[in-house]
Amino acid sequence: ERLLAAADKYNLSTLKDKCAQFLSDKLCAENAMATLKLADMHNVADLKKASMECILKYGENIADQAGLKDKLGLNLCFEVMTESVKRAVCSLYFLMKLVCQIKTGIKFRLYFFIF
């Protein structure tokens, strides 16, 4: 983490990328919030995206942790919430489309069966 901060401070992009990859490989539910905050502070988009994915993947475990707002800060909490809502909406849209297709298929089969 300190090496990433130093690489960012002194604009050492190769070292910064290597640090980000190392941290990304070590992501888990326990460190995802701290890693997201670090990635955000040092403008590491790939690490931020990976951290967000991890948080959303293990959301139930992470949501039970105390002090989320204090650990992430208000802006990052809002980003996580926004991404979570987007995914929920996409999932609901997919589910609705699937139900419509199944419903149409059932109507077609019933119509075909009657005649």
Side-chain angles (χ1 to χ4, degrees), residues 35-36 39-40 44-53 76 79:
T35 305
L36 176 63
D40 186 60
V44 186
D46 290 341
L47 183 59
K48 185 174 179 179
K49 182 178 178 183
S51 301
M52 184 76 73
E53 291 292 328
L76 282 177
E79 284 184 47

Side-chain angles (χ1 to χ4, degrees), residues 1-2 4 23-24 26-42 44 47-48 50-52 54-55 62 65 67-68 70-73 76 80:
E1 295 170 6
R2 290 184 294 190
L4 176 66
L23 291 169
S24 184
K26 302 294 180 193
L27 268 172
C28 63
E30 289 77 29
N31 66 17
M33 288 191 303
T35 305
L36 176 63
K37 189 171 185 173
L38 185 69
D40 186 60
M41 281 180 10
H42 298 292
V44 186
L47 183 59
K48 185 174 179 179
S51 301
M52 184 76 73
C54 187
I55 288 170
I62 293 172
Q65 296 177 17
L68 290 175
D70 296 332
K71 290 179 183 177
L72 285 179
L76 282 177
V80 170

Side-chain angles (χ1 to χ4, degrees), residues 80-106:
V80 170
M81 183 182 68
T82 301
E83 187 62 30
S84 182
V85 169
K86 281 182 194 176
R87 289 175 186 222
V89 168
C90 288
S91 294
L92 286 173
Y93 178 76
F94 173 75
L95 182 61
M96 287 174 31
K97 287 290 198 177
L98 189 59
V99 167
C100 287
Q101 289 181 12
I102 290 170
K103 188 176 166 185
T104 302
I106 291 171

